[in-house]
Amino acid sequence: MSKLLKLLDVRPGQGADSWIGPASGPAGKRAYGGQFVAQSLAAAIRTVDADRPATNMHLQFLRGGEAGDDVEYSVTRVFDGRTAAARRVDSFQGDRLLTTATVSFATELPGPEHGRRPRLPQDPDGLPRTGPAGPAPSMPLDELDIRIADSGSGDEFVRRFWWRATPSLPDDALLHTLLAVYVCDVYMIDPALQVHGHSMRARTHRSGTTDSSIWFHRSVRADEWNLLETVSPAAARGRGVVTGSLIRADGVIAATLAQEGLIAERT
């Protein structure tokens, strides 16, 4: 079985609405943040009717997790209405609360639509294969094709992060959404440092995501090219914000993302 698919296949826990997310490994390393986002969403989805896809998700990172250990996800059914639902998801290792998230779901309704890019900046097939913007020991990088093509500097810096999953994937829209959530977290806060000529790879600053938000607009195929295009509009008080669009190969904007992260000077 694909490592990616196994990682996102949460299994029932001991209590009601309790789910177990598989460890990502290796032991002794800090767990990757995208694992918590994707597994939290996977757990919440298990408690909602299939005709109500996720519309938005907001997750706070409270403590770092151990990559070598499973994660327990406790889902609270906050609301179930005629067309919408809401869930809270808390993640634990032992008695340590690691993350807390809220997820909203709703049936699809007719209405005005927009959000399409008429022209994308590059052909990803013509770009060199780069991998993520830093070391990612918890990610199965052999199952991901990542190509980064940044542009600009200072306030004009733009991160263009092309990615696709390489394993054979089932035709399951929810699974493709989970994979997108998982991949798009990797080093997303890095542009807040790149504006100032730094990077998370250089480890000149204390850095890491503290808060992550996603608004889901349309379906995505994780086994086709997708572009995560991000900028950092502001930073202060040792924290930066990054905003971005997840754009499909056909130019359709599938999701809008925002993250806050720590970018404090080391003392």
Side-chain angles (χ1 to χ4, degrees):
M1 183 179 184
S2 158
K3 297 175 187 174
L4 278 171
L5 297 186
K6 183 178 179 181
L7 187 64
L8 300 178
D9 187 21
V10 298
R11 62 185 187 272
Q14 293 184 347
D17 289 340
S18 174
W19 304 87
I20 305 299
S24 57
K29 295 291 186 179
R30 185 166 180 163
Y32 163 52
Q35 171 188 344
F36 292 102
V37 184
Q39 290 180 345
S40 292
L41 180 57
I45 286 172
R46 300 295 199 279
T47 70
V48 177
D49 292 341
D51 66 341
R52 301 180 180 191
T55 60
N56 61 75
M57 177 177 187
H58 309 278
L59 183 143
Q60 288 184 297
F61 294 92
L62 306 175
R63 296 184 178 92
E66 165 58 51
D69 295 339
D70 289 348
V71 183
E72 180 183 0
Y73 295 89
S74 175
V75 179
T76 301
R77 302 186 183 223
V78 177
F79 174 75
D80 282 290
R82 186 170 58 87
T83 61
R87 299 290 185 264
R88 188 179 75 244
V89 187
D90 297 322
S91 74
F92 297 86
Q93 285 181 327
D95 60 356
R96 298 179 70 247
L97 175 64
L98 305 180
T99 64
T100 185
T102 57
V103 189
S104 295
F105 300 85
T107 56
E108 295 187 8
L109 301 172
E113 296 184 1
H114 61 276
R116 180 183 292 273
R117 290 278 294 272
R119 184 180 296 108
L120 295 180
Q122 303 102 8
D123 175 7
D125 286 314
L127 298 172
R129 196 164 177 166
T130 62
S138 295
M139 297 184 74
L141 296 178
D142 57 329
E143 297 187 4
L144 295 169
D145 187 347
I146 295 173
R147 310 185 187 200
I148 295 176
D150 297 337
S151 67
S153 61
D155 291 338
E156 303 301 315
F157 178 83
V158 180
R159 161 77 28 96
R160 294 190 174 95
F161 178 98
W162 291 94
W163 66 272
R164 62 182 173 184
T166 56
S168 177
L169 301 177
D171 190 18
D172 180 342
L174 293 177
L175 175 62
H176 287 262
T177 296
L178 292 176
L179 284 165
V181 167
Y182 175 82
V183 175
C184 287
D185 184 80
V186 63
Y187 291 99
M188 185 179 162
I189 202 63
D190 189 55
L193 285 168
Q194 293 281 352
V195 168
H196 302 275
H198 305 297
S199 71
M200 294 181 74
R201 180 189 292 272
R203 300 187 183 278
T204 55
H205 291 68
R206 296 166 54 209
S207 56
T209 306
T210 55
D211 182 272
S212 180
S213 296
I214 307 171
W215 294 264
F216 303 98
H217 312 309
R218 296 173 179 85
S219 62
V220 65
R221 289 287 311 190
D223 50 3
E224 297 177 359
W225 281 119
N226 296 281
L227 170 62
L228 178 61
E229 188 173 82
T230 56
V231 298
S232 179
R237 300 166 55 193
R239 294 176 183 251
V241 167
V242 171
T243 60
S245 296
L246 177 62
I247 308 167
R248 301 187 320 206
D250 61 1
V252 169
I253 298 175
T256 299
L257 299 89
Q259 282 195 0
E260 178 201 63
L262 186 69
I263 53 167
E265 293 183 1
R266 294 188 182 276
T267 57

